[in-house]
Amino acid sequence: LDTGIFHIGPHFQTDSQADFYSVLSDFLPHKLSRFHPSISGSEATEVAIKSCMHKTGAKKFIGFTGGYHGRTFGALSVSGEKGKNANLGPFSPKCEIIAFPQSKDCINDSILSLDEEPLAGVIIEPIQATAGLRFVNENALRELRAYTKSNNIPLIFDETFTGFFRTGKMFCFEHYNLVPDILVFGKALSAGFPAGLVVSTEEILGQWQKGVQSSTFQLGPIAAAASRSFLSKLKNDNLVKNAKKQNLTFKKELNNLTVTGKLVDVRGIGSFWVLEFDSQETNMKVRKQALDNGLITWECGERGECLGLVPPLNTDIRIIEKACRIIKKSVSEVLQL
Ligand SMILES: Cc1ncc(COP(=O)(O)O)c(C=O)c1O
């Protein structure tokens, strides 16, 4: 970076990239030792899909209802949540969207109903974000891991949203005590610089032939330096401590909201909290009221029925407290509680 050369294209590696991969390795299970950079979460999904197809020779994927993996065509294909692009199909690669397993039985039923076509891979957000913070059933995830392992089907966890401490652990797979074959990262990965990354095994990514995948700006030197600096902040600063305090503050402040009628649920994990309403209309009213009261919120949920709170991990606790006060005030103003 001292040379002032900020771009070198995909054919060369700089020290800042090598350094970043090396530090990231310390956070990852030993078997996930291979990296392939990209410019975004969507492109990382494309890379993950291609790596599965090259590895298995198969062409069909399994995705889940509510799953969101990006807006490029391959990513759309494997996303249950296609939004306004749903009518652009047929999509490629072929993908069967099955019910997001919030109970154990539901995954067994889905697996039993699959046809004979060989699978290239299965892609899941174990904690769905855009669908409004929905949690996979832990036993179902284990069943899915067992099924994919015994059939040599790569299992992809898309951690574009959940990675890097958003859910109170470095990676969301750590909540389940199992390791996927492929991880997809983006967003927080590079602390605001555009970048994505696929992490996988020697067996899957190590065997790629040259030229199979490249992208001019894939995790360039500046993004790598930003990522590296973010990792050292996660390691050495009070960032993790602050994120834990954020979680406790949300819990304390939001858990006493009265869940009744139009406010269907309040749920959260780490620094990611959601208020689920009966409809998008109610949600819009509360979000508008919160905005008028000084707080920007995020719309999520399969029907736009969820208000999401996703603060930066370094947001001061006093701001989180203030945000929760605004939420409570706005909810009671709109719902007349
Ligand atoms: C889980 C998940 N995967 C993939 C993406 C796509 O990432 P990007 O917007 O960087 O292409 C997103 C973006 O919201 C996401 O939440």
Side-chain angles (χ1 to χ4, degrees):
L1 296 180
D2 292 340
T3 63
I5 299 171
F6 296 153
H7 171 66
I8 51 155
H11 300 287
F12 308 99
Q13 289 292 301
T14 60
D15 288 348
S16 80
Q17 288 156 315
D19 191 24
F20 163 58
Y21 295 136
S22 156
V23 176
L24 182 58
S25 297
D26 295 342
F27 289 91
L28 289 162
H30 189 62
K31 79 166 195 169
L32 297 176
S33 59
R34 283 282 183 162
F35 303 95
H36 192 101
S38 68
I39 53 167
S40 66
S42 299
E43 193 185 64
T45 303
E46 302 290 338
V47 172
I49 289 172
K50 275 172 73 176
S51 70
C52 289
M53 293 171 82
H54 279 288
K55 163 79 177 71
T56 61
K59 300 207 158 127
K60 178 179 163 182
F61 285 82
I62 294 294
F64 293 90
T65 50
Y68 178 80
H69 305 291
R71 285 288 180 247
T72 51
F73 268 92
L76 270 176
S77 178
V78 297
S79 293
E81 196 279 292
K82 294 184 174 54
K84 295 190 171 72
N85 293 298
N87 60 354
L88 297 185
F91 294 94
S92 180
K94 195 166 163 188
C95 182
E96 190 167 328
I97 302 292
I98 62 177
F100 182 65
Q102 292 185 285
S103 80
K104 180 170 183 265
D105 297 339
C106 128
I107 195 72
N108 288 332
D109 290 349
S110 300
I111 288 172
L112 284 175
S113 70
L114 291 174
D115 63 23
E116 298 282 288
E117 182 168 349
L119 289 177
V122 176
I123 182 163
I124 189 166
E125 293 169 88
I127 296 177
Q128 290 189 331
T130 303
L133 186 59
R134 298 201 309 177
F135 300 92
V136 76
N137 173 279
E138 192 168 337
N139 288 326
L141 194 63
R142 266 179 222 302
E143 295 280 334
L144 188 64
R145 175 68 288 193
Y147 169 75
T148 49
K149 207 172 221 166
S150 61
N151 290 283
N152 281 322
I153 303 161
L155 177 62
I156 309 167
F157 280 7
D158 182 350
E159 293 229 24
T160 301
F161 200 105
T162 53
F164 302 95
F165 233 83
R166 174 56 53 199
T167 68
K169 290 196 184 282
M170 182 67 176
F171 305 115
C172 134
F173 71 81
E174 293 170 12
H175 290 290
Y176 304 100
N177 204 21
L178 51 79
V179 180
D181 302 299
I182 302 178
L183 286 166
V184 172
F185 293 133
K187 293 197 193 285
L189 160 75
S190 48
F193 281 84
L197 184 69
V198 174
V199 179
S200 186
T201 59
E202 176 65 31
E203 213 190 343
I204 294 174
L205 275 185
Q207 310 302 319
W208 273 31
Q209 288 163 20
K210 280 191 188 138
V212 162
Q213 173 64 27
S214 80
S215 181
T216 301
F217 293 112
Q218 55 185 31
L219 219 159
I222 305 255
S227 304
R228 167 73 179 84
S229 156
F230 174 49
L231 288 184
S232 54
K233 286 204 170 294
L234 274 179
K235 246 183 172 170
N236 308 323
D237 274 20
N238 284 330
L239 206 54
V240 169
K241 226 187 253 169
N242 197 58
K244 286 186 175 154
K245 277 194 209 153
Q246 287 184 348
N247 175 261
L248 292 177
T249 308
F250 276 128
K251 238 184 218 159
K252 184 167 137 249
E253 298 291 330
L254 296 183
N255 271 352
N256 57 15
L257 266 168
T258 317
V259 173
T260 162
K262 292 187 172 211
L263 178 58
V264 176
D265 192 24
V266 177
R267 55 183 176 268
I269 187 166
S271 299
F272 182 11
W273 283 70
V274 153
L275 274 67
E276 180 181 336
F277 295 100
D278 62 332
S279 66
Q280 184 178 36
E281 194 191 346
T282 312
N283 187 24
M284 289 271 272
K285 283 187 193 155
V286 176
R287 291 186 61 235
K288 165 83 174 53
Q289 192 72 11
L291 188 61
D292 290 345
N293 289 330
L295 182 71
I296 298 171
T297 58
W298 175 50
E299 183 189 278
C300 53
E302 279 191 294
R303 293 175 293 112
E305 75 283 20
C306 295
L307 177 159
L309 298 166
V310 196
L313 301 185
N314 62 355
T315 303
D316 192 274
I317 296 310
R318 278 165 302 186
I319 296 179
I320 303 291
E321 285 167 347
K322 186 173 174 192
C324 290
R325 278 199 299 276
I326 294 178
I327 286 292
K328 287 194 276 195
K329 180 171 183 284
S330 309
V331 168
S332 82
E333 283 166 355
V334 172
L335 304 188
Q336 268 128 33
L337 291 175

